[in-house]
């Protein structure tokens, strides 16, 4: 039976080619994802391991470091350096430094722009930051940049570099360019190096360090040295970790980060393979129908049902193995492509070679083989159940009515259950029903797939009626061919339906969220610009005062926030000049007025007042995180506003509870007709500071909606693989159907149907299948988006469902194009059949 399976595989290799392609694409996605995540994880680990290569012990400030006696200073350095087994102690200072590029924007990513001290040894070199050009910094006015940042800024040794730490722009002379293994820099960040005294002044506290990096002498046990350091230093004053502990901690964080990416891509790979199941099952069902006489002869000469099943499964396994092996090779290209695509989208993944783990190879091959064998299992059982005499007497038998009745009943139950769950989702008031919604979506889609043969009949009839006058006899023949085996038509269309339903649902939710974000900005924010700090460290209060004096500015209102607890519930209070706040935000008071909010009183949103039983005159107990308490009275209540928090207060109430008084943002309102030119003036007024972000309302909308669009386009790309596999399925079904109907096509040609008529018949059948899958997918996708969107609305009140009909029309046109293109090869093949040879075909 193994030889029989191998012979069948070789005999039908052309007909199995498209099935192999579906398996190949699916496994390429799986293997590409696994290799990509392994490669990225390895690149991060290599960078991290290199940066921790000489770290035996790390000492950082603990909880009590604010006390002067527990400061991480030279006294601690000397005590650690004196311990046996310590080769050297590197005192490090680190913080955030924004280096300006040619356009006065940050040269590195906002989260990866860092600064540190250059620590020269006896030879004047720092092994952690080897200098490739120039020298190390030795005075307050000098700086060293990493090579990538220097290239981005276009700065050369001797040039002046503009930078900011947490305030005004500074300029320093570039005296050197260094190399670094810092993973943040390789992932798109920047690095600025100063002499130790300057770094302490800019990034920390003079005389104090951020971290001590201890290097051990050869042969010293790292764990024992860590224990010695821990015993030497005051308890709870410092945090001491071994290099191995740091490496394990970083490795765990890397695994967590890469696993989320891997799981996301694997989910879409699973969708692609699931779509491939329909193609594989369809192919083997058709092949078995075409080989029914052959199977009957095997049964007649003594082959058991089990042997027939085994033969088909061996054939499927061999096909899956060969396709999976080719898919794995293609997956290496997918892994390389994923890195390039994500980097172009701003992911800034570190460079590194492709890492091929044995688990990735075995997983890809195993998934491909298992999916192929499982998909072929039901067709193989169907083959084994055919009685020899019955199979010899006839070719393909139409599906039994009973089987369709049972299938329709199961489909109705599944669909009803899924729809009921999704309708229940619409009644929920919070977003806690995500798992239920996913189960309901899966049941709904499964039910529609099972019901697809029943649904295909009215659609095909309606499509044929709508196009009847244009298509003539070819259209009628295409309709009969599509209806001849509704289960086959449904299985082919379902593959396309799955991809389009997910694409449609995601599109509706994304466009609706995008509209909600735009509405949110237009609804509550009336300021023309928002000024913030790129490093999230806050803004100097002087910035708002400076901007308020700028010509063309009618209002510059600073906002700062303080966290507190009331009745053991955390909340956020905003401090602002409340009367001025009305100039930059649509702040509507439902009771009281802005003038009523003075020292010792607050204003609260109507939602917060409702949730906490507050009204004008009510006391609001506030427990601040610095240990202090206050009980101001509610002087006013305003309508819930997205610009400000649930509580508004005068700065005099909140400023004493800030460690350092800094503004979170400044909202700027331009004079009429001055908004367009104001952005450049603000940047110029603030000295072209790379630390300062100036965003218009459109910028804010794009920053929020831009991520939505990026995610949506990424989803399009990922789901596009499933659609491509579905197209392969349409081509495969039509090609095998043409082979199946060779004699029939010959008879049609003999009675006068022209070659163009044959082409049109196959093309119309393809279009019917593609459009059926598209209409079904769009309908299911819109329903799931409507019902599931209620979960989004619970946490995003501005969300309202918007159906982007233009995009939906594009999806349908793409499906139409898919139907036409998928039929090109099968239609040409059918039209080229020799009439006499076709009539004589067995």
């Amino acid at each position: 039976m193994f030889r029989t399976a191998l012979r069948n595989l070789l005999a039908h290799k052309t007909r199995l080619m498209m099935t192999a392609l579906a398996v190949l694409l699916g496994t390429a996605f799986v293997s590409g994802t696994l290799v990509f995540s392994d490669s990225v994880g390895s690149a991060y680990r290599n960078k991290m391991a290199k940066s921790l290569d000489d770290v035996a012990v790390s000492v950082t400030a603990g909880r009590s470091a604010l006390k002067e006696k527990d400061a991480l200073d030279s006294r601690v350095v000397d005590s650690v350096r004196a311990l046996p087994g310590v080769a050297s102690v590197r005192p490090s200072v680190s913080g955030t430094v924004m280096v300006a590029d040619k356009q006065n924007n940050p040269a590195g990513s906002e989260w990866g722009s860092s600064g540190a001290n250059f620590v020269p040894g006896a030879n004047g070199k720092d092994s952690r930051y080897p200098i490739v050009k120039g020298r190390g910094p030795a005075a307050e006015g000098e700086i060293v940049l990493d090579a990538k940042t220097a290239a981005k800024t276009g700065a050369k040794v001797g040039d002046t570099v503009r930078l900011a730490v947490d305030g005004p722009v500074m300029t320093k002379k570039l005296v050197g360019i260094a190399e670094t293994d810092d993973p943040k820099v390789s992932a798109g960040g920047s690095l600025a190096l100063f002499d130790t005294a300057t770094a302490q002044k800019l990034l920390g506290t003079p005389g104090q360090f951020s971290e001590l990096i201890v290097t051990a002498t050869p042969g010293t046990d790292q764990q024992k040295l860590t224990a010695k350091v821990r015993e030497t230093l005051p308890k709870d004053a410092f945090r001491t970790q071994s290099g191995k502990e740091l490496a394990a901690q970083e490795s765990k964080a890397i695994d967590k980060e890469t696993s989320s990416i891997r799981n996301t891509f694997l989910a879409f790979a699973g969708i692609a393979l699931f779509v491939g199941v329909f193609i594989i099952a369809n192919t083997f069902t058709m092949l078995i129908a075409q080989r029914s006489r052959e199977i009957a002869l095997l049964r007649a000469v003594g082959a058991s049902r089990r042997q027939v099943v085994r033969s088909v499964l061996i054939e499927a396994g061999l096909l899956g193995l060969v396709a999976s092996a080719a898919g794995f090779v293609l997956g290496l290209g997918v892994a390389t492509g994923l890195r390039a695509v994500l980097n172009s989208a701003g992911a800034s993944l570190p460079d590194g070679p492709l890492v091929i783990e044995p688990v990735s190879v075995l997983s890809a091959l195993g998934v491909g083989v298992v999916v192929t064998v499982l998909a072929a299992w039901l067709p193989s059982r169907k083959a084994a159940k055919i009685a020899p005499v019955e199979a010899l007497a006839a070719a393909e038998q139409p599906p039994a009515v009973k089987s369709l009745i049972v299938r329709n009943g199961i489909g109705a139950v599944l669909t009803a259950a899924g729809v009921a769950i999704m309708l229940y989702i619409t009644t929920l008031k919070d977003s806690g029903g995500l798992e239920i919604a996913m189960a309901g979506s899966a049941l709904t889609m499964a039910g529609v797939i099972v019901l697809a043969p029943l649904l295909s009949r009215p659609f095909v009839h309606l499509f044929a009626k709508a196009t009847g006058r244009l298509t003539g006899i070819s259209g009628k023949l295409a309709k009969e061919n599509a209806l001849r085996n509704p289960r086959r038509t449904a299985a082919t269309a379902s593959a396309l339906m799955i991809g389009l339903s997910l694409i449609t649902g995601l599109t509706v939710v994304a466009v609706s969220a995008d509209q909600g974000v735009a509405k949110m900005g237009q609804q509550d924010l009336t300021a023309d610009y928002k000024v913030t700090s790129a490093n999230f460290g806050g803004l100097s209060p002087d910035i708002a005062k400076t901007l308020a004096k700028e010509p063309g500015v009618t209002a510059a209102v600073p906002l700062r926030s303080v966290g507190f607890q009331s009745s053991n519930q955390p909340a956020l209070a905003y401090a602002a000049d409340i009367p001025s706040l009305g100039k930059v935000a649509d702040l509507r008071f439902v009771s009281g007025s802005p003038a009523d909010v003075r020292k010792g009183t607050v204003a609260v949103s109507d939602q917060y007042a409702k949730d906490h039983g507050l009204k004008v005159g009510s006391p609001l107990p506030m427990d601040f995180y610095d240990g202090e308490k206050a009980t101001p009275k509610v002087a006013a209540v305003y309508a819930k506003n997205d610009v400000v928090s649930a509580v508004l207060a005068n700065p005099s109430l909140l400023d004493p509870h800030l460690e350092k008084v800094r503004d979170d943002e400044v909202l700027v309102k331009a004079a009429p007709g001055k908004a367009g030119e104001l952005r450049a003036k603000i940047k110029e007024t603030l000295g072209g500071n790379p630390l300062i972000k100036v965003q218009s309302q459109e910028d804010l909308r794009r920053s929020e909606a831009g991520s939505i669009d990026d995610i949506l386009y990424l989803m399009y790309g990922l789901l596009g693989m499933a659609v491509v596999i579905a197209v392969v399925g349409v081509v495969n079904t039509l090609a095998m159907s043409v082979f199946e109907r060779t004699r029939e096509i010959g008879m049609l040609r003999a009675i006068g149907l022209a070659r163009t008529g044959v082409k049109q018949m196959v093309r119309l059948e393809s279009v019917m299948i593609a459009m059926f899958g598209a209409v079904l997918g769009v309908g299911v996708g819109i329903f799931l988006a409507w019902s599931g969107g209620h979960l989004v609305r619970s946490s995003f009140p501005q969300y309202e469902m918007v159906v982007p009909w233009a995009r939906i029309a594009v999806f349908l046109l793409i499906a139409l194009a898919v139907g036409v293109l998928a039929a090109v090869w099968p239609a040409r093949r059918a039209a080229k059949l020799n009439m006499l040879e076709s009539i004589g075909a067995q």
Side-chain angles (χ1 to χ4, degrees):
M1 295 307 292
F2 177 80
R3 288 196 299 270
T4 301
L6 185 60
R7 181 184 62 79
N8 284 330
L9 185 64
L10 296 174
H12 303 102
K13 55 182 177 293
T14 304
R15 277 176 267 172
L16 288 168
M17 182 177 63
M18 290 295 178
T19 304
L21 184 58
V23 179
L24 182 150
L25 291 173
T27 52
F29 209 159
V30 172
S31 61
T33 298
L34 294 175
V35 171
F36 166 76
S37 59
D38 288 340
S39 301
V40 171
S42 175
Y44 272 121
R45 284 191 190 86
N46 289 340
K47 296 285 185 184
M48 178 267 297
K50 212 167 183 182
S51 65
L52 295 176
D53 190 42
D54 59 345
V55 180
V57 184
S58 167
V59 181
T60 53
R63 292 182 180 178
S64 60
L66 293 176
K67 300 177 182 177
E68 189 174 342
K69 67 182 183 65
D70 291 332
L72 195 60
D73 53 19
S74 56
R75 294 173 303 167
V76 179
V77 174
D78 294 338
S79 62
V80 172
R81 187 178 283 133
L83 292 173
V86 173
S88 65
V89 178
R90 175 195 173 88
S92 296
V93 181
S94 60
T96 300
V97 175
M98 292 287 180
V99 178
D101 62 12
K102 297 175 182 177
Q103 289 75 39
N104 289 326
N105 295 317
S109 58
E110 293 177 3
W111 53 266
S113 297
S114 57
N117 61 323
F118 185 84
V119 185
N123 57 1
K125 297 180 180 180
D126 186 339
S127 60
R128 180 160 289 241
Y129 303 114
I131 300 294
V132 293
K133 284 183 182 179
R135 60 175 176 81
E140 186 174 357
E142 297 178 345
I143 190 175
V144 167
L145 298 178
D146 69 277
K148 285 187 177 181
T149 303
K152 289 178 187 175
T153 60
K156 298 178 181 179
V157 174
D159 290 348
T160 299
V161 176
R162 293 167 53 81
L163 65 140
V165 177
D166 64 351
V169 176
M170 295 180 284
T171 57
K172 294 187 181 295
K173 182 180 179 181
L174 182 66
V175 297
I177 296 174
E179 288 184 344
T180 178
D181 297 315
D182 189 338
K184 288 192 295 184
V185 175
S186 63
S190 63
L191 176 67
L193 298 173
F194 311 94
D195 66 277
T196 298
T198 303
Q200 289 175 329
K201 178 181 177 182
L202 294 176
L203 308 177
T205 304
Q208 296 185 18
F209 305 102
S210 307
E211 180 183 17
L212 303 185
I213 298 172
V214 181
T215 303
T217 56
T220 301
D221 184 271
Q222 197 177 96
Q223 297 300 328
K224 290 181 179 179
L225 181 59
T226 303
K228 284 182 183 178
V229 173
R230 193 173 285 133
E231 290 170 3
T232 303
L233 301 178
K235 192 176 181 181
D236 297 329
F238 305 101
R239 186 183 182 196
T240 306
Q241 290 178 286
S242 68
K244 290 181 180 178
E245 289 172 340
L246 277 176
Q249 184 177 311
E250 291 290 335
S251 182
K252 189 176 180 180
I254 291 169
D255 285 339
K256 185 177 180 180
E257 192 68 29
T258 55
S259 66
S260 61
I261 299 174
R262 181 177 64 247
N263 293 338
T264 300
F265 284 122
L266 284 178
F268 286 94
I271 293 170
L273 285 170
F274 182 64
V275 170
V277 166
F278 290 90
I279 300 169
I280 299 164
N282 238 3
T283 302
F284 277 94
T285 298
M286 296 172 76
L287 279 177
I288 286 165
Q290 293 167 18
R291 285 163 27 199
S292 57
R293 290 178 180 271
E294 178 186 323
I295 293 170
L297 285 172
L298 287 173
R299 294 277 284 113
V301 297
S304 66
R305 290 185 175 182
R306 183 175 296 177
Q307 285 178 310
V308 172
V309 171
R310 192 182 305 152
S311 173
V312 175
L313 294 183
I314 289 172
E315 186 178 345
L318 291 172
L319 174 70
L321 184 62
V322 173
S324 299
F328 181 81
V329 175
L330 180 62
L332 300 180
V334 172
T336 304
L338 281 175
R339 188 197 295 265
V341 169
L342 292 177
N343 277 339
S344 66
S348 299
L349 299 172
D351 297 327
L354 287 179
V355 176
I356 303 174
E357 299 286 350
V359 174
S360 300
V361 180
L362 294 176
S363 297
L365 296 179
V367 166
V369 172
V370 168
V371 166
T372 310
V373 170
L374 287 177
W377 182 68
L378 284 177
S380 70
R381 286 180 57 84
K382 181 182 177 183
K385 288 180 180 179
I386 298 175
V389 175
E390 180 185 355
L392 287 170
E396 184 184 6
Q397 297 292 329
V401 176
K402 182 179 179 182
S403 65
L404 285 176
I405 291 174
V406 171
R407 175 173 178 152
N408 293 340
I410 295 172
V413 171
L414 289 174
T415 306
V419 170
I421 291 174
M422 297 312 294
L423 291 176
Y424 164 72
I425 291 296
T426 63
T427 65
L428 297 179
K429 301 300 182 183
D430 55 49
S431 57
L434 181 60
E435 293 81 5
I436 301 173
M438 291 176 66
S441 300
L443 279 175
T444 303
M445 291 182 66
V448 171
I449 290 170
V450 177
L451 279 178
L454 178 66
L455 299 173
S456 67
R457 290 185 177 276
F459 177 86
V460 170
H461 278 294
L462 184 63
F463 186 89
K465 188 174 182 180
T467 59
R469 292 183 180 180
L470 298 174
T471 57
I473 188 64
S474 296
K476 291 181 180 179
L477 291 171
K479 180 189 77 171
E480 295 302 322
N481 290 334
L483 293 175
R484 181 181 303 182
N485 193 329
R487 289 193 291 188
R488 182 186 301 169
T489 299
T492 307
S494 293
L496 189 59
M497 183 272 286
I498 294 168
L500 277 178
S501 62
L502 292 172
I503 287 174
T504 301
L506 287 170
T507 299
V508 172
V509 171
V511 170
S512 301
D514 194 354
Q515 293 290 327
V517 170
K519 185 188 300 182
M520 181 173 64
Q522 296 167 0
Q523 179 176 295
D524 294 329
L525 182 65
T526 58
D528 293 294
Y529 293 98
K530 177 192 280 190
V531 181
T532 55
S533 171
N535 69 350
F536 311 105
L539 302 169
S540 167
D542 294 334
I543 288 178
K545 297 174 184 176
T546 302
L547 293 178
K549 299 174 184 177
E550 178 69 24
V553 173
T554 59
V557 182
L559 291 173
R560 59 186 74 125
S561 60
V562 175
F564 71 95
Q565 285 196 342
S566 183
S567 302
N568 294 322
Q569 293 185 14
L572 193 66
Y574 267 27
D577 179 9
I578 299 175
S580 299
L581 191 58
K583 299 176 182 178
V584 294
D586 185 14
L587 195 61
R588 292 174 288 111
F589 283 80
V590 295
S591 60
S593 70
D596 296 331
V597 184
R598 302 184 183 88
K599 185 176 181 180
T601 62
V602 296
V604 298
S605 71
D606 52 1
Q607 186 64 52
Y608 190 82
K610 179 182 177 182
D611 293 341
H612 293 78
L614 300 174
K615 59 183 179 180
V616 173
S618 299
L620 175 64
M622 302 175 74
D623 295 335
F624 295 99
Y625 293 110
D626 61 357
E628 299 295 323
K629 297 183 179 182
T631 312
K633 288 187 177 181
V634 175
V637 178
Y638 55 90
K640 186 176 181 296
N641 190 288
D642 291 311
V643 176
V644 296
S645 62
V647 178
L648 277 173
N650 191 280
S652 60
L653 175 66
L654 300 183
D655 285 357
H657 306 288
L658 288 168
E659 184 178 336
K660 189 175 183 181
V661 176
R662 298 185 69 79
D663 296 326
D664 294 343
E665 59 194 54
V666 178
L667 301 179
V668 180
K669 182 68 176 178
K674 300 293 184 181
E677 60 191 47
L678 191 58
R679 180 204 296 269
K681 285 187 176 181
I682 292 174
K683 290 287 285 186
E684 184 181 347
T685 300
L686 299 179
N689 194 326
L691 196 65
I692 305 298
K693 288 174 65 176
V694 182
Q695 296 172 289
S696 66
Q697 282 202 21
E698 181 61 20
D699 294 332
L700 292 169
R701 190 197 71 79
R702 284 179 182 173
S703 67
E704 295 293 333
S707 59
I708 296 174
D709 291 339
D710 290 342
I711 292 171
L712 180 61
Y713 291 131
L714 177 62
M715 296 302 180
Y716 281 168
L718 297 175
L719 289 172
M721 183 70 76
V723 175
V724 169
I725 293 175
V727 174
V728 169
V730 177
V731 176
N732 200 29
T733 298
L734 289 173
M736 297 189 71
S737 181
V738 167
F739 179 84
E740 207 173 59
R741 303 200 302 261
T742 299
R743 179 182 293 183
E744 178 184 315
I745 293 171
M747 292 294 292
L748 289 171
R749 293 277 289 113
I751 62 175
L753 186 65
R755 292 183 188 274
T756 55
V758 173
K759 284 184 179 181
Q760 189 178 29
M761 175 186 70
V762 177
R763 196 178 297 121
L764 284 170
E765 183 181 355
S766 175
V767 169
M768 284 181 187
I769 293 172
M771 292 305 294
F772 173 53
V775 170
L776 210 57
V778 166
V780 171
I782 291 175
F783 169 73
L784 295 179
W786 168 76
S787 52
H790 285 73
L791 295 178
V792 181
R793 189 178 294 113
S794 61
S795 56
F796 185 10
Q798 290 78 14
Y799 179 92
E800 286 186 13
M801 180 174 164
V802 177
V803 180
W805 293 113
R807 292 199 194 188
I808 300 297
V810 170
F811 296 159
L812 293 175
L813 286 175
I814 290 173
L816 180 64
V818 163
V820 173
L821 294 175
V824 170
W825 178 59
R828 285 173 59 85
R829 186 166 177 264
K832 285 183 177 181
L833 290 174
N834 182 280
M835 188 190 310
L836 296 178
E837 290 179 0
S838 299
I839 294 173
Q842 295 294 321

